[in-house]
Amino acid sequence: MRRPLLRTGAMFAAALLATTAVPALADTLVENINGISVDREGEVTRFRAMVIGDDGKIVRLLGRRDKAPERVDYRQDGRGRTVIPGLIDGHLHLMGLGLAQLTLDLSDTDSLQQALDKLAAYAAANPDQPWLIGRGWNQERWNLGRFPTAAELDAVVPDRPVWLARADGHAGWGNSLALAAAGVTAESVDPSGGRIERLAGGHAPAGVLVDAATALVDSKVPPPRPSDRDLALYEAQRVLLRGGVTAVADMGTSVEDWMTFRRAGDSGRLDIRVMAYAANVDAMVLIGGPAPTVWLYDDKLRLNGIKLFLDGALGSRGALLNAPYADDPDNRGLPLLDGTQLRNLMSRAAMDEFQVAIHAIGDRANKEALDAIAELSRDYPGDRRWRIEHAQVVDLADITRFGQNGTIASMQPQHQPSDRTMAEARLGPDRLAGAYAWRSILEAGGPLAFGSDAPVEQPLPFQGIAAAISRTGPDGQPFGGWQPQEAISREQALAAYTAGAAYAGFAERRFGQLAEGLRADFVVIDRDPLMASPEELRQVRVLETWINGRKVFGAEEPAAPDGPGR
């Protein structure tokens, strides 16, 4: 039993043809621009024009006093607009983002009732779907004070399984039919690294499964077909290109994901550059074999390494903490790997030169990751670029360790305003100093790479830059910023979304800056981001997105035709 396509194949093909990128230009002069590039240290280069070769690489940047070449094949007038390097999302889930465009989205709901109403409408609009799948709920945003229950879903959809991922992807909410399909009962034992939420006063499952327990239902959900995956990748690329994102680090790439990327690359439909990190050792070996893959499709696709999970997330109280949760005194989180398992997996990857990216959110998990990196660095010397994904809560004593062993902090600025009140409740006031500590990590010598964790957050880099420089949310709150001593400069934030994120994926010699010999990936925007206030940054409009010297998005271009189920 498989989930039906949400758009017909003919409509999908028409959409692809409607948005195919224009042919690569030969010896193109892009002139009359406010050109900006930034290196990893935040040093800014400004220029007024650039020459792009027919291979899609930058031949030359021209400053104010430089004379433009007399002979070029094409001239592109930038009309005085600002041009910056293509933005890199240093941590997202590419197929998750795409599939989220095709299923029920609850990320905009502000109450349990809104979510249930939206589910009811979705169920009515999709009567033939055997399972109702969605994501994005957040009980903290709803001010619910508890997890939602299966009974609340049953009241809306009693006739087929419902399975809804939490906003952070670390918990799932199912109705009774979904739990029954997975065999989850009062007698079920919590799996290692997971938790089955129970009804008060008993053992019956309440409806929410946390971290490793989600696999019990996930394994029963009908998987997407290859055609569903192709459509999801198309939709994900549309979202990213509209936001000026030209490259991503895909965290948790499965073999099925990889084959979707390859189909797109083989047919000329892969626009976004993808630095992939396999979901597990089996996928890493099946995709890469004895080593990371070569770059494919003109630097569009490479398997860099592997993504490992040490703990869960703060919102579902799965992040691994040194001390109990302030709002759950009997809980310190869920370890998804023990120290021996972590080191064995890291060693298996490092012995074949695969890069290691470790998910660590809680302070105990970050300490464990840093300890393991220090040990493995002795056995596997050289330029490893060990990555810690999220580094969300770090003990102050461990922050300086990010400046050691080349450890990269891969962080997501949009999480800070989204998580602020929840983090205060989970941690209490005494542990907030090391939370989302961008400036402290930078000052300790730790390289930063910024991303969104999409679909957890929307892949909107300018929203992230605004948060990074102000420590405020879209509403401008709190006044003066939350833990404002951890704010960083505009230049540092832009670097983390460009040169820093490229460096984190061993791509700095290919893209990430606008410089001679690198790929001509750039974004045309309506204002200078280095002169903009946080409020103005949140209003930045992406006018054009170019990859490899080709325009792949223009704000004025017509939308792709809609199909059934949109």
Side-chain angles (χ1 to χ4, degrees):
M1 185 168 57
R2 298 182 298 181
R3 194 160 56 233
L5 267 174
L6 302 183
R7 179 183 291 165
T8 65
M11 283 294 186
F12 180 32
L16 292 175
L17 289 173
T19 57
T20 299
V22 297
L25 304 179
D27 294 328
T28 300
L29 174 66
V30 182
E31 58 185 342
N32 187 22
I33 58 175
N34 174 33
I36 299 171
S37 190
V38 61
D39 66 14
R40 288 201 299 126
E41 284 68 43
E43 292 296 322
V44 176
T45 298
R46 289 187 177 268
F47 52 95
R48 67 174 183 85
M50 60 181 167
V51 180
I52 303 170
D54 60 5
D55 59 357
K57 295 181 180 180
I58 296 171
V59 175
R60 186 184 173 195
L61 298 181
L62 302 173
R64 289 184 178 180
R65 299 182 180 180
D66 294 327
K67 186 177 180 181
E70 295 182 2
R71 290 183 173 272
V72 291
D73 294 308
Y74 299 95
R75 290 178 180 267
Q76 182 81 17
D77 184 359
R79 294 184 284 171
R81 298 177 299 184
T82 296
V83 169
I84 63 171
L87 297 158
I88 301 173
D89 195 309
H91 179 119
L92 55 57
H93 310 280
L94 187 54
M95 294 305 298
L97 174 63
L99 290 168
Q101 311 307 306
L102 309 179
T103 55
L104 176 61
D105 178 15
L106 299 176
S107 63
D108 59 351
T109 58
D110 293 317
S111 69
L112 172 62
Q113 190 58 53
Q114 281 186 14
L116 295 175
D117 290 346
K118 200 166 185 180
L119 171 63
Y122 185 79
N126 295 276
D128 298 327
Q129 288 195 16
W131 281 64
L132 296 179
I133 306 300
R135 65 163 310 281
W137 61 271
N138 185 346
Q139 83 283 2
E140 298 295 328
R141 178 170 176 169
W142 298 343
N143 294 313
L144 194 60
R146 60 172 175 84
F147 280 129
T149 66
E152 287 160 334
L153 291 178
D154 293 341
V156 177
V157 182
D159 59 337
R160 46 189 158 153
V162 177
W163 185 234
L164 307 170
R166 191 180 184 276
D168 58 13
H170 285 267
W173 174 27
N175 68 354
S176 294
L177 288 178
L179 298 178
V184 178
T185 68
E187 288 70 42
S188 298
V189 177
D190 289 353
S192 176
R195 184 173 66 247
I196 300 170
E197 294 292 323
R198 314 281 179 167
L199 292 174
H203 297 286
V208 168
L209 310 182
V210 179
D211 284 315
T214 60
L216 299 172
V217 176
D218 287 338
S219 64
K220 304 302 180 182
V221 176
R225 300 171 294 184
S227 53
D228 295 327
R229 290 181 174 277
D230 292 342
L231 178 56
L233 178 58
Y234 164 76
E235 294 288 357
Q237 290 191 107
R238 289 183 68 194
V239 170
L240 293 164
L241 294 173
R242 286 199 302 267
V245 176
T246 59
V248 302
D250 183 51
M251 291 292 163
T253 307
S254 67
V255 173
E256 292 84 359
D257 296 341
W258 180 261
M259 294 310 299
T260 305
F261 305 154
R262 290 298 305 265
R263 286 194 297 275
D266 289 345
S267 60
R269 293 183 284 107
L270 185 62
D271 289 325
I272 297 290
R273 302 191 190 279
V274 181
M275 300 170 283
Y277 293 81
N280 49 53
V281 168
D282 288 344
M284 179 185 79
V285 173
L286 283 169
I287 295 169
T293 66
V294 298
W295 283 96
L296 303 168
Y297 314 116
D298 289 332
D299 298 336
K300 291 288 183 66
L301 179 63
R302 181 181 189 249
L303 178 74
N304 282 1
I306 189 171
K307 164 81 176 298
L308 304 175
F309 279 90
L310 254 184
D311 67 347
L314 272 179
S316 48
R317 297 185 183 87
L320 198 59
L321 301 180
N322 286 320
Y325 279 82
D327 59 356
D328 189 0
D330 295 325
N331 182 16
R332 293 178 183 240
L334 292 169
L336 303 186
L337 295 171
D338 63 32
T340 299
Q341 292 170 324
L342 173 65
R343 287 158 177 78
N344 286 343
L345 291 169
M346 291 173 66
S347 182
R348 174 63 187 87
M351 66 189 295
D352 286 336
E353 306 296 330
F354 289 101
Q355 188 183 14
V356 174
I358 306 169
H359 167 112
I361 287 183
D363 49 11
R364 182 178 168 191
N366 276 282
K367 182 181 187 303
E368 184 66 46
L370 290 163
D371 287 347
I373 288 170
E375 293 175 27
L376 271 291
S377 292
R378 294 193 290 269
D379 296 329
Y380 300 99
D383 186 11
R384 295 289 173 169
R385 302 190 197 178
W386 312 97
R387 297 175 57 131
I388 295 183
E389 304 302 315
H390 307 304
Q392 216 160 297
V393 183
V394 183
D395 191 288
L396 292 178
D398 290 322
I399 284 179
T400 58
R401 302 174 68 191
F402 278 91
Q404 303 167 11
N405 304 308
T407 305
I408 293 164
S410 171
M411 305 178 76
Q412 298 75 44
Q414 289 162 270
H415 283 338
Q416 181 264 305
S418 295
D419 293 354
R420 173 174 61 88
T421 56
M422 178 270 291
E424 291 172 346
R426 298 289 187 271
L427 300 174
D430 296 336
R431 285 182 285 184
L432 297 178
Y436 315 87
W438 310 316
R439 177 174 290 278
S440 293
I441 289 174
L442 264 183
E443 290 179 346
L448 285 182
F450 279 168
S452 68
D453 201 15
V456 177
E457 302 282 354
Q458 291 299 308
L460 299 171
F462 295 106
Q463 297 279 347
I465 293 173
I469 68 171
S470 70
R471 306 284 289 191
T472 63
D475 59 357
Q477 296 299 313
F479 179 77
W482 187 79
Q483 303 288 324
Q485 72 278 4
E486 292 297 343
I488 60 176
S489 71
R490 290 162 177 76
E491 293 80 4
Q492 289 167 331
L494 182 59
Y497 275 109
T498 54
Y503 174 83
F506 286 96
E508 73 276 10
R509 296 184 180 179
R510 300 171 186 273
F511 53 86
Q513 297 184 60
L514 295 177
E516 294 180 10
L518 300 188
R519 295 288 180 182
D521 299 351
F522 59 92
V523 183
V524 182
I525 56 179
D526 66 348
R527 67 197 71 190
D528 187 331
L530 302 183
M531 304 294 290
S533 68
E535 182 180 0
E536 290 169 337
L537 281 166
R538 294 186 178 103
Q539 300 301 318
V540 166
R541 184 170 179 236
V542 174
L543 304 174
E544 297 175 0
T545 302
W546 293 63
I547 296 178
N548 219 40
R550 300 184 305 160
K551 186 169 77 169
V552 292
F553 167 77
E556 287 78 30
E557 67 184 20
D562 287 343
R566 284 286 290 172

